Amino acid sequence: MSSKRISVVVTRRLPEVVETRLKELFDVSLRDTDTPMTRDELVQAVQTADVLVPTVTDAIDAGLIGQAGPQMKLIANFGAGFDHIDVSTARQRGILVSNTPGVVTEDTADMVLALMLGVTRRIQEGLSVMQAGDWQGWAPTAFLGGRLGGRRLGILGMGRIGQAVARRAAAFGMQIHYHNRHRLRPEVEDSLQATYWDSLDQMAARMDVISVNCPSTPSTYHLLNARRLKLLKPSAVIINTSRGEVIDENALTRMLKAGELAGAGLDVYEHGIKGNPELRNMPNVVMLPHMGSATEEGRVEMGEKVIINVKTFADGHRPPDQVVPAML
């Protein structure tokens, strides 16, 4: 398939440098406004394009894929996660799926530490007082938080991002623990000075901070459910920059309201942008609008990976970042 003729539809606005390069290489349809495509627009895209470049905001489900034309051969996702894409149905239809792994690792890990500090050092409360003009001056007992050094951090999901979080947390003097589907190799574990827990229940009950860094899959849905959240210490803090569905958000909200948890730092929500409204009024909760990967450098690198995947496909080869069954 000639790259000069390949038809590409991009569902959202991307960094200008990425859009320009896509335009140079392919017959590309770019988005004029930074709003998600409607369902009808997505249907039109899969019925006419060779390649679809969606983002996490697009539901590329079985119903949509079922309406794809015979020319649709690649879904080149702009992002590392692919839980919004029905990969199995795509494979059945002979459509390849690719993603952009490894790009957001450092940016997301930075945000995990930012949220930890935001909650434990009560930054949200301090900002609110300053923005309201209510600060009465320094006092020895005002806005007392706690230091990260010496706390036990339990990392749920020790992939690229989890390991990057571990390295940063160790620099703050935290003790690193983790639960993962597979134990790390001994040399990796030693380099991170990390303690492995086969039982998530046992780890959760002993940690001061839990950082959720696992992907969203059927097996991780509500992995931190009401029963497991009850195992946490009342002084524990939860940080989630992964996927909202991993935590039972209603149970988390009830426990925070009841003082059964010390706080939470959230960048993702179980019901998308409709995060539980009760969380917004809690001084011990820091809420961000899915900013974990939001750096100029990261988004450009994501775009470059998309371009490589599409160009490789256009040249008659399988994309280097193809999503394969073992990843599901």
Side-chain angles (χ1 to χ4, degrees):
M1 186 177 293
S2 170
S3 62
K4 292 182 179 179
R5 297 169 51 195
I6 194 169
S7 171
V8 179
V9 172
V10 180
T11 67
R12 296 296 296 267
R13 290 295 305 273
L14 301 182
E16 184 178 329
V17 64
V18 175
E19 291 185 336
T20 300
R21 188 59 178 149
L22 284 167
K23 197 73 173 176
E24 291 171 346
L25 291 171
F26 314 113
D27 178 12
V28 65
S29 174
L30 299 173
R31 193 80 172 140
D32 291 330
T33 61
D34 196 16
T35 56
M37 278 188 167
T38 65
R39 184 70 173 190
D40 288 344
E41 288 174 322
L42 285 171
V43 169
Q44 175 69 16
V46 299
Q47 288 179 344
T48 58
D50 301 312
V51 178
L52 182 71
V53 179
T55 71
V56 68
T57 60
D58 302 305
I60 314 300
D61 54 30
L64 180 69
I65 294 171
Q67 298 182 70
Q71 83 298 324
M72 170 61 63
K73 294 300 179 184
L74 173 64
I75 299 171
N77 189 52
F78 182 85
F82 45 82
D83 49 293
H84 58 296
I85 302 172
D86 191 325
V87 179
S88 297
T89 298
R91 286 176 57 82
Q92 292 170 9
R93 291 290 305 272
I95 301 172
L96 302 180
V97 178
S98 65
N99 65 339
T100 60
V103 173
V104 303
T105 298
E106 304 303 324
D107 298 329
T108 304
D110 286 346
M111 190 61 80
V112 171
L113 268 294
L115 285 169
M116 279 189 209
L117 288 167
V119 176
T120 59
R121 295 300 303 272
R122 300 174 63 176
I123 291 175
Q124 177 94 339
E125 295 173 75
L127 282 172
S128 297
V129 168
M130 294 302 294
Q131 290 167 350
D134 293 336
W135 187 40
Q136 301 301 312
W138 182 87
T141 59
F143 302 109
L144 296 182
R147 62 176 60 140
L148 290 181
R151 296 196 187 201
R152 291 189 175 92
L153 168 63
I155 298 174
L156 179 49
M158 200 62 144
R160 292 187 185 94
I161 295 175
Q163 292 179 41
V165 170
R167 291 192 294 271
R168 286 160 172 76
F172 276 79
M174 301 185 79
Q175 299 173 34
I176 310 303
H177 298 251
Y178 75 100
H179 171 79
N180 202 47
R181 184 169 54 176
H182 303 294
R183 187 169 184 173
L184 299 176
R185 298 192 309 274
E187 61 271 22
V188 177
E189 200 172 85
D190 289 345
S191 70
L192 298 171
Q193 297 185 323
T195 300
Y196 173 70
W197 292 84
D198 179 63
S199 167
L200 176 55
D201 284 2
Q202 292 183 13
M203 183 184 83
R206 293 165 171 82
M207 297 298 108
D208 301 304
V209 181
I210 295 286
S211 177
V212 179
N213 299 110
C214 60
S216 175
T217 67
S219 63
T220 62
Y221 176 77
H222 280 193
L223 192 57
L224 292 180
N225 55 23
R227 180 195 66 79
R228 194 162 272 142
L229 289 170
K230 288 286 187 181
L231 299 175
L232 299 178
K233 299 187 293 186
S235 58
V237 167
I238 290 183
I239 307 296
N240 189 7
T241 57
S242 174
R243 287 291 186 266
E245 298 84 359
V246 178
I247 301 178
D248 182 338
E249 192 170 287
N250 287 333
L252 174 65
T253 303
R254 289 194 300 270
M255 291 184 65
L256 287 165
K257 285 181 64 178
E260 296 171 343
L261 287 172
L266 307 172
D267 191 41
V268 289
Y269 308 93
E270 184 175 355
H271 304 292
I273 64 174
K274 300 179 181 179
N276 193 314
E278 293 187 77
L279 291 170
R280 300 175 199 154
N281 301 318
M282 296 184 188
N284 58 339
V285 176
V286 177
M287 300 176 70
L288 296 178
H290 205 158
M291 292 169 57
S293 64
T295 67
E296 292 184 13
E297 298 89 344
R299 295 290 161 82
V300 169
E301 289 176 17
M302 288 166 68
E304 290 171 346
K305 274 188 173 283
V306 168
I307 291 168
I308 290 171
N309 284 321
V310 177
K311 184 67 169 65
T312 304
F313 166 75
D315 290 342
H317 308 288
R318 291 188 177 273
D321 296 311
Q322 181 181 348
V323 176
V324 297
M327 298 165 62
L328 303 180

